[in-house]
Amino acid sequence: ATLQIIAKEYGNFVNVDTTRPNGIARAQKLGLVPSRIVGAIFSPYAHEISSLFDHKHKGRFFAMMRDPISRIVSMYYYQQVQGLLPSKDTTIVQFVAMNEENWMTRMLTNKMTGKIGAADLDVAKEILRRKFLIGLWDDKTESMRRIEQYFGWKFPSPVAQNCKNDKLYFEWNNKNPHPSTENEDELILQIQKMNRFDVELFAYARQLFREQEDLFWTGSGGGGMDGGGLR
């Protein structure tokens, strides 16, 4: 097997699936990063994806951070529509109770099982500060402006630009309208209690988003963030 570029009207892609651990292993075996044929790699597996990089081939993480309450509620309704819930009668309260807690903190610290504590939250914050260009799901326009500027991305055609706009604002994958939870105080408190580290981590991500604004208005480039993948 070899790496192949698949050309589409809205952009080019490579024949590896980095959204799955076995796909990441395949990408490493085929030398995806040393090949220098990709400009961006997308994956929910931060630690696994860092195995593709080394001291000669460094990368920069960027992430679109989402409020954990909004993310969990949206996940419930998505799984409900897709028929992925344990039962069609599963309520959102039951879903929250069985849902893996503090997913963002666990993912960043690579502690997907067992107890986590304040020290793990501190590690997750430091990883975000040192390694990530932060984007916010509820400020997609400014987030994408920063990402495009930081990496020097240019859209190859009007079709690609329109595709970006459609996916971000109108028809993004898995968009799933659902009822508001603004008045569901008990549910919100339950999610906050179970995901207290993620709630604090997201608040810190918002702070970083504000601080990183200086990178784009002072001409300082990527100053203040280390190079390379997770160590």
Side-chain angles (χ1 to χ4, degrees), residues 188-207:
I188 291 173
L189 287 173
Q190 181 182 358
I191 297 175
Q192 289 176 332
K193 183 178 180 179
M194 290 185 62
N195 295 272
R196 62 188 183 94
F197 296 126
D198 272 11
V199 170
E200 188 170 338
L201 184 65
F202 181 70
Y204 183 67
R206 282 192 177 279
Q207 175 185 327

Side-chain angles (χ1 to χ4, degrees), residues 141-164:
T141 299
E142 173 62 11
S143 297
M144 284 303 302
R145 185 193 72 80
R146 293 184 187 186
I147 292 169
E148 290 169 24
Q149 180 179 332
Y150 187 90
F151 291 102
W153 290 350
K154 303 294 182 182
F155 287 87
S157 68
V159 172
Q161 181 67 48
N162 290 336
C163 178
K164 182 200 79 169

Side-chain angles (χ1 to χ4, degrees), residues 76 80 85-92 94:
Y76 167 76
Q80 184 183 63
L85 294 174
S87 164
K88 65 179 182 180
D89 298 321
T90 301
T91 67
I92 189 169
Q94 292 170 331

Side-chain angles (χ1 to χ4, degrees), residues 171-186:
E171 300 176 356
W172 65 81
N173 289 342
N174 298 330
K175 181 179 180 181
N176 188 47
H178 52 74
S180 171
T181 57
E182 288 184 1
N183 298 321
E184 299 287 344
D185 293 342
E186 185 175 342

Side-chain angles (χ1 to χ4, degrees), residues 11-45:
N12 295 333
F13 303 86
V14 180
N15 61 331
V16 291
D17 181 3
T18 52
T19 64
R20 300 176 183 274
N22 60 348
I24 295 173
R26 181 171 181 271
Q28 185 178 30
K29 181 179 180 180
L30 296 177
L32 177 64
V33 171
S35 73
R36 297 184 181 275
I37 65 174
V38 294
I41 298 173
F42 296 89
S43 180
Y45 297 99

